[in-house]
């Protein structure tokens, strides 16, 4: 197994996803501070492959899931003998620990595409990885991931201590379990032997002569079955010819029947054709009537004045009707003005008289005042007295009141009253004069307005037809409108008649579809005979199809007759062959039956062969039971002896001695390679201790405790490599250890020893093997061509690849 790419997410310090590529790396170092996750890289590989982590107990993974994470995912792309694979596992934290959520093992091509899914569950992935790699988890972690610190103990340990250590590393304790299994197997074998003996007793004797007789009968039936098989094939050919001929005859007879079924057009078809012709004529007439009515309607509509023209005529009539009104308004205004002027003249006359009366009353009032004043002045005078005013003598005819003051006052009052009444009459007449003048102005205005309206009215009628002419034209339009209404009714009725005729024709067409459908079915029934095409006239089409069928019938009847003769010939031939086959079965002792003779012969042969095989099986079973009894008794003896031999530790000690010799021999070979041929290891045959031979000093052995630090490291590394080889060989006989991961502290080595160790590791990576070293010693890491530097960050560790 050689890694190519490793994906880690959620495992220990690797909280976030990281990827390490090894596809072009043969020797690398994993470096970084303590706790950064260097060893976790190796843990991730074993988790991806085997679902386990070396530093934890079996099925214990939860402690390795990153803090505050619920699951971790690891994926390893690797090759085995050059073939690429990829193993992926996702483990989720649970209340009781952790469980594998997803697992898969895929085979890839050289481009990384998936070729096949080899396993899809956690257990299946582990099983398939063990098959591919050739190592179990325990063997992998001891052969590929070298056990830290333990291989140096193998070098320096006492023989007993070394054997105990090898026993644990090589799994020699399995032989205790072998001893227990051997004892259990011996007891089971003894019980099986006794049961087999009992079965033999129950089986009894089997007649071998009966088996031979049955074998002869089966052989004879084999010949018969072969002959009947050939006859059956011939019979099948005859049956096929019979079936084909019968099918031809059936088709030919059926054609004759279908052709015969095509008779002359039935009465219903002819009647339908006549009714359809009548309906076509009715539709044609109705269409013509609609066309004529619509033409008349169009002409009448063209003669009909427009709505605006009719409206104008109505407006003209209305204007004519208002002419008397306008004229009467002028006349009335003229009459009102005349009356107003007459009233003003009357008022003017009365006002003149009233004003005259006012003047007369004023003069009378002045005279009365004057007379009244004189009376006052001459109060007490008698006629003939001198007037104190005018100094004239009062005449005898002086007023009667001249001497009466009261009478004078009455005269003055009367004069004043007359003056007041005269002024009041003048005021009244002056008001009447003002009103009369206003009435004249209003009458003049009204007359002017009436005259203007009459003038405008006459201007509107200027150039317009007279009222009689307008009324005549309106009446003509009304008559045309009435005519249009009639024409529209005629058009509507014509269209109704057309729709009715069309519906009647459609109904007849729908009825004809049934007849056409019958005709279509008749034609379709003989379609393979290429009948004439249908033109849509059901009567003509039916007649043409009938005439064609009548002409076609003689040929088809001849074909049917020929096919029937072929059916009869095949039937006679088949019956003769079947009779010969039945007789052959009787001659072979096979009873008559209803089935195929060959099938009955095969069944008879099978029955005899089954009986022969049953008896043969009983013979073989008896032989096998006797062999099983002997084998079981032998296994019981061997198992018992093995259990007895394994009751002591001699075998384990011998095995460990052999393992130690093989271990030292292999380590010596490795050490010579690592030390450039200077050192080799030897095993003391007396006390079992390991010594080192310095080939540069005549090869004399010396104690390994005299080795320097670097020499000790080389010898220990050689033992570790030899031990890994032994573990691999014991796992499956031959496993290619294509990778090696050394998780070993180099911090205690002095510079010289460290240099030797680095040189040895460089030599390990010089071949086809991938070698990885987990170290925090900078000098060691700097000697290797590739370093994977693990950095600790706040979000989790990350890996940086550095190539020198």
């Amino acid at each position: 197994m050689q890694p190519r790419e490793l994906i880690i997410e959620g495992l220990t310090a690797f909280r976030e996803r990281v990827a390490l590529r090894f596809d072009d790396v043969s020797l690398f170092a994993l470096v970084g501070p303590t706790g950064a996750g260097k060893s976790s890289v190796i843990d991730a590989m074993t988790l991806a492959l085997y679902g386990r982590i070396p530093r934890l107990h079996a099925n214990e993974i939860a402690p390795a899931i990153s803090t505050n994470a619920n699951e971790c995912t690891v994926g390893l792309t690797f090759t085995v003998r050059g073939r690429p694979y990829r193993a992926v596992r996702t483990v989720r934290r649970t209340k009781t620990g952790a469980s594998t959520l997803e697992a898969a093992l895929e085979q890839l091509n050289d481009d990384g595409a998936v070729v096949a899914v080899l396993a899809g569950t956690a257990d299946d992935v582990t099983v398939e990885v063990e098959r591919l790699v050739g190592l179990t988890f325990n063997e992998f972690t001891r052969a590929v991931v070298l056990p830290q610190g333990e291989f140096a103990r193998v070098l320096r340990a006492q023989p007993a201590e070394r054997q105990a250590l090898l026993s644990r590393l090589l799994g020699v304790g399995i032989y205790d379990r072998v001893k227990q299994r051997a004892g259990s197997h011996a007891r089971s074998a003894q019980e099986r032997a006794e049961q087999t003996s009992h079965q033999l007793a129950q089986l009894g004797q089997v007649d071998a002569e009966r088996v031979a007789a049955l074998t002869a009968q089966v052989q004879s039936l084999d010949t018969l079955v072969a002959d009947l098989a050939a006859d059956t094939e011939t019979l099948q050919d005859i049956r096929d010819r019979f079936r084909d001929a019968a099918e031809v005859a059936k088709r030919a007879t059926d054609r004759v029947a279908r052709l015969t079924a095509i008779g002359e057009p039935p009465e219903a078809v002819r009647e339908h054709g006549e009714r359809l012709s009548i309906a076509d004529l009715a539709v044609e007439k109705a269409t013509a009537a609609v066309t004529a009515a619509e033409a008349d309607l169009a002409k009448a509509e063209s003669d009909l004045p427009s709505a605006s023209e009719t409206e104008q005529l109505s407006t003209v009539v209305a204007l004519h009707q208002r002419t008397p009104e306008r004229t009467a308004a002028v006349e009335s205004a003229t009459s009102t003005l005349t009356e107003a002027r007459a009233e003003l003249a009357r008022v003017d006359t009365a006002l003149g008289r009233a004003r005259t009366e006012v003047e007369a009353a004023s003069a009378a009032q002045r005279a009365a005042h004057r007379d009244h004043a004189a009376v006052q002045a001459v109060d007490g005078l008698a006629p003939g007295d001198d007037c104190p005013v005018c100094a004239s003598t009062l005449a005898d005819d002086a007023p009667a009141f001249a001497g009466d003051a009261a009478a004078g006052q009455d005269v003055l009052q009367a004069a004043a009253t007359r003056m007041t009444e005269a002024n009041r009459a003048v005021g009244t007449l002056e008001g009447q004069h003002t009103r009369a003048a206003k009435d004249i102005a209003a009458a003049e205005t009204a007359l002017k307005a009436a005259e203007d309206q009459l003038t405008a009215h006459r201007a509107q009628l200027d150039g317009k037809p007279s009222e009689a002419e307008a009324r005549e034209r309106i009446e003509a339009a009304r008559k045309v409108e009435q005519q249009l209404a009639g024409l529209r009714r005629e058009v509507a009725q014509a269209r109704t008649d057309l729709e009715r005729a069309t519906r009647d024709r459609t109904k007849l067409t729908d009825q004809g579809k049934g007849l056409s459908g019958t005709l279509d079915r008749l034609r379709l029934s003989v379609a393979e005979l290429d009948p004439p095409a249908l033109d849509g006239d059901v009567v003509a089409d039916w007649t043409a199809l009938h005439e064609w069928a009548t002409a076609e019938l003689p040929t088809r009847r001849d074909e049917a007759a020929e096919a029937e003769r072929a059916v009869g010939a095949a039937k006679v031939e088949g019956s003769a062959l079947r009779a010969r086959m039945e007789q052959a079965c009787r001659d072979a002792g096979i009873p008559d039956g209803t089935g195929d003779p060959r099938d009955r012969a095969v069944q008879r042969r099978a029955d005899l062969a089954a009986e022969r095989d049953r008896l043969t099986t009983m013979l073989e079973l008896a032989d096998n039971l006797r062999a099983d009894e002997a084998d079981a008794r032998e296994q019981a003896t061997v198992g018992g002896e093995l259990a007895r031999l394994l009751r002591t530790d001699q075998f384990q000690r011998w095995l460990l001695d052999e393992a130690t010799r093989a271990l030292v021999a292999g380590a010596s070979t490795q050490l010579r390679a690592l030390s450039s041929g200077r050192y080799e290891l030897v095993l003391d045959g007396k006390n079992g201790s390991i010594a080192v031979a310095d080939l540069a000093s005549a090869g004399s052995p010396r104690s390994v405790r005299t080795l320097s630090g670097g020499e000790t490291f080389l010898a220990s590394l050689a033992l570790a490599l030899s031990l890994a080889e032994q573990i691999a060989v014991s796992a499956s006989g031959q496993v290619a250890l294509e990778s090696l991961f050394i998780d070993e502290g180099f911090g205690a080595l002095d510079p010289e020893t460290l240099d030797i160790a680095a040189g040895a590791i460089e030599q390990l990576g010089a071949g086809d093997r991938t070698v990885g070293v987990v170290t925090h010693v900078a000098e060691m890491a700097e000697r290797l061509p590739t370093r994977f530097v693990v950095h600790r960050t706040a979000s989790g560790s990350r890996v940086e690849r550095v190539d020198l």
Side-chain angles (χ1 to χ4, degrees), residues 228 232 235 239 578 581-582 594-601:
L228 290 176
T232 300
L235 183 60
R239 287 172 177 168
R578 177 61 182 262
M581 294 171 67
E582 290 289 351
T594 58
D596 191 288
R598 173 183 171 277
D599 293 340
R600 297 205 309 275

Side-chain angles (χ1 to χ4, degrees), residues 188-197 199-200 620-636:
S188 297
Q190 184 62 34
E191 292 176 0
R192 192 172 74 252
E194 294 174 357
Q195 292 175 356
T196 304
S197 178
Q199 291 176 353
L200 277 171
E620 293 175 351
L621 179 59
D623 294 339
N624 291 336
L625 286 174
R626 283 189 287 270
D628 288 346
E629 180 183 9
D631 180 66
R633 295 190 185 281
E634 181 181 356
Q635 288 190 29

